[in-house]
Amino acid sequence: FIVKLMSILRILGIETSCDETAISLIEVDEAGAHVRVLGNAVHSQIDVHASYGGVFPTLAKREHQRNLVPVLEKVLRQADMLERMNRASATPEKIEAAEAILSREPELWESFKATVPVIARPAIDFISVTIGPGLEPALWVGINFARALATVWDMPVVPCNHMEGHILAALIQEKAGTFELLERSISYPAISLLISGGHTQIVLVESIDALRGGIYRIVGETRDDAVGECFDKIARTLGLAYPGGPKISRLAALARKAGIESPEPLPRPMMESGDIDFSFSGLKTAVLYLTRRLSGASGAPLDEAAMRGIARETEDAITDVLVAKMRKAVERYAVATLIIGGGVIANSHIREALEKLANECSLSIFLPQIDHSTDNGLMIALAGYFGRTKAVSADTTLAAAGTLALGLRAAAEPAAAQKAEKTP
């Protein structure tokens, strides 16, 4: 399917990989240098999932069904593109095809058929949508919604990788109400650290092309829990409500200000392992055993000082491991640029530590704005722009891929790096 490769482009990005229903509409100029955000909205499901202590996939699917059409309306209204008509803007055949696409999302179809067919086709060139990785029930809702929209509005769809979106979100910088695209400023090879609730990966970025997206190789990843998952599980052990990461960070900041230390040190798992993989399950277990010892047989709640000290030590341990692994990756692959993405980079302590690493190693570093670090539609709209040559027609079958990889796992370390490490 052919989409415009030149001139101004408008892309609608749809993100439903987890517990945010997010849509963004962007405009990229002819030079591919600047982005204007015409509309952007995120509906968080945190309150819905809080009682479960984490995201419950079937609830996430239901909430996406309920919220996609209202979020779309909000975005089109922001972009001044919500023009309602007295009659359907699409043929009965297209509306029927959209119904077939949404046959497994009945609640979404009811909302869709009452709203979308009477919205005039907006001046959008194509729709991009996350197909993975993520929670498959949630992904399917976004994919089918994108295909149904594209069917009614007669426009192509670009399937996108959620993790690439996180990388690209770090490559825009706000200037005077617009965003400058910075991919031309990257010196290669680059290393990207992706840290979120579901992922912890180190990715070698060999190139990012304005038409074909990026070429990536996974060179390090977690063997068990992701960083965000570890934060949340430790927070639950400490009796903190979901989502736990921000609460751990707040307590840790209070502990540093007051000079409070942890009652006992915590491990830095795999920090000296020699590779650049991660493991955080041991840290989670260490906190569990520590809190049990402190609580005693009575199971008494921890006092405030102990809570703050453990939170600080947890954040310090995770930060130490992330920085150590990234330092090793920088040395091993002789990189010139760091690109950091994912919701956990909203953590100011981790953010500052990685900025310090970049400064010590004389590297350029790209970090997303805080409000662009968590899942959002803007990053998927950007991924659609960079991957637009992969556009397909609306009747093309797209499948949700919960474990979709950003790139191949590197089979072996570079020979030069191996030799250098073995040299006395």
Side-chain angles (χ1 to χ4, degrees), residues 32 84 119 133 159 248 279:
R84 301 190 187 277
I119 296 175
I248 293 272
S279 171

Side-chain angles (χ1 to χ4, degrees), residues 87-422:
R87 57 181 177 80
S89 60
T91 64
E93 290 77 15
K94 287 183 178 180
I95 295 172
E96 184 178 341
E99 181 179 10
I101 291 169
L102 295 175
S103 60
R104 294 187 178 182
E105 285 84 33
E107 188 170 358
L108 176 56
W109 168 243
E110 290 301 316
S111 178
F112 184 100
K113 74 177 181 180
T115 306
V116 174
V118 292
I119 296 175
R121 185 193 189 281
I124 295 170
D125 293 293
F126 54 93
I127 297 168
S128 56
V129 63
T130 303
I131 64 167
L135 303 175
E136 289 197 1
L139 289 165
W140 274 115
V141 180
I143 291 168
N144 290 334
F145 181 64
R147 289 185 59 217
L149 275 182
T151 297
V152 170
W153 288 344
D154 192 24
M155 56 184 67
V157 179
V158 181
C160 297
N161 186 298
H162 178 82
M163 304 311 292
E164 182 172 32
H166 277 305
I167 290 175
L168 298 174
L171 303 182
I172 56 172
Q173 179 177 335
E174 190 167 9
K175 288 187 176 180
T178 63
F179 292 92
E180 183 180 352
L181 275 171
L182 303 176
E183 88 281 359
R184 296 179 180 89
S185 303
I186 300 173
S187 297
Y188 296 102
I191 279 284
S192 179
L193 174 66
L194 300 175
I195 44 177
S196 66
H199 295 85
T200 302
Q201 293 181 333
I202 297 178
V203 179
L204 184 66
V205 182
E206 298 180 356
S207 69
I208 296 178
D209 185 89
L211 270 179
R212 292 175 290 276
I215 298 175
Y216 309 105
R217 281 196 298 143
I218 298 170
V219 295
E221 57 191 335
T222 184
R223 298 182 181 181
D224 39 61
D225 293 346
V227 170
E229 182 182 7
C230 181
F231 269 126
D232 286 339
K233 288 180 177 178
I234 288 175
R236 192 183 312 164
T237 298
L238 296 176
L240 303 173
Y242 174 85
K247 296 176 179 64
I248 293 272
S249 182
R250 182 180 62 82
L251 291 177
L254 291 172
R256 290 189 189 94
K257 186 176 181 180
I260 297 172
E261 302 285 345
S262 174
E264 293 180 16
L266 293 173
R268 272 64 172 162
M270 292 185 66
M271 195 162 79
E272 305 297 336
S273 63
D275 56 33
I276 50 178
D277 284 339
F278 303 89
S279 171
F280 293 105
S281 63
L283 176 59
K284 172 190 67 180
T285 303
V287 172
L288 176 63
Y289 289 159
L290 173 57
T291 56
R292 285 178 177 174
R293 287 196 297 275
L294 294 174
S295 296
S298 65
L302 299 182
D303 62 43
E304 188 65 21
M307 289 271 288
R308 292 181 181 185
I310 293 171
R312 176 183 179 177
E313 180 71 356
T314 294
E315 190 173 67
D316 285 347
I318 289 173
T319 303
D320 290 348
V321 170
L322 293 175
V323 170
K325 296 292 184 175
M326 283 296 283
R327 189 183 297 277
K328 183 173 287 293
V330 166
E331 295 168 354
R332 181 165 292 176
Y333 293 97
V335 302
T337 306
L338 303 184
I339 305 171
I340 316 298
V344 176
I345 199 54
N347 179 296
S348 60
H349 186 68
I350 294 174
R351 197 179 185 95
E352 290 166 7
L354 290 168
E355 288 178 312
K356 182 180 178 183
L357 172 65
N359 184 57
E360 290 173 353
C361 299
S362 300
L363 305 174
S364 57
I365 184 169
F366 295 89
L367 292 154
Q369 289 184 185
I370 297 297
D371 59 334
H372 295 165
S373 58
T374 52
D375 296 350
N376 60 84
L378 172 58
M379 70 187 210
I380 302 306
L382 288 170
Y385 170 74
F386 280 92
R388 61 196 183 279
T389 56
K390 302 170 187 174
V392 297
S393 60
D395 60 1
T396 302
T397 300
L398 296 175
T403 58
L404 181 67
L406 181 57
L408 295 176
R409 172 74 196 226
E413 305 297 349
Q418 290 180 357
K419 182 177 178 181
E421 289 184 359
K422 293 177 182 177

Side-chain angles (χ1 to χ4, degrees), residues 48-56 232 236 242:
V48 175
H49 299 282
S51 62
Y52 294 91
V55 180
F56 200 67
D232 286 339
R236 192 183 312 164
Y242 174 85

Side-chain angles (χ1 to χ4, degrees), residues 11-14 21-25 38-43 64-84 108 111-113 115-117 119-120 122 124 127 145-146 148-150 152-153 155:
I11 307 110
L12 187 78
I14 299 172
T21 307
I23 299 178
S24 186
L25 177 57
L38 304 179
N40 189 58
V42 179
H43 183 279
H64 288 311
Q65 290 191 56
R66 290 179 174 178
N67 293 306
L68 272 167
V69 170
V71 171
L72 173 67
E73 288 184 287
K74 184 175 182 179
V75 168
L76 294 178
R77 189 177 297 112
Q78 291 172 356
D80 198 22
M81 291 186 186
L82 187 60
E83 180 185 347
R84 301 190 187 277
L108 176 56
S111 178
F112 184 100
K113 74 177 181 180
T115 306
V116 174
I119 296 175
I124 295 170
I127 297 168
F145 181 64
L149 275 182
V152 170
W153 288 344
M155 56 184 67

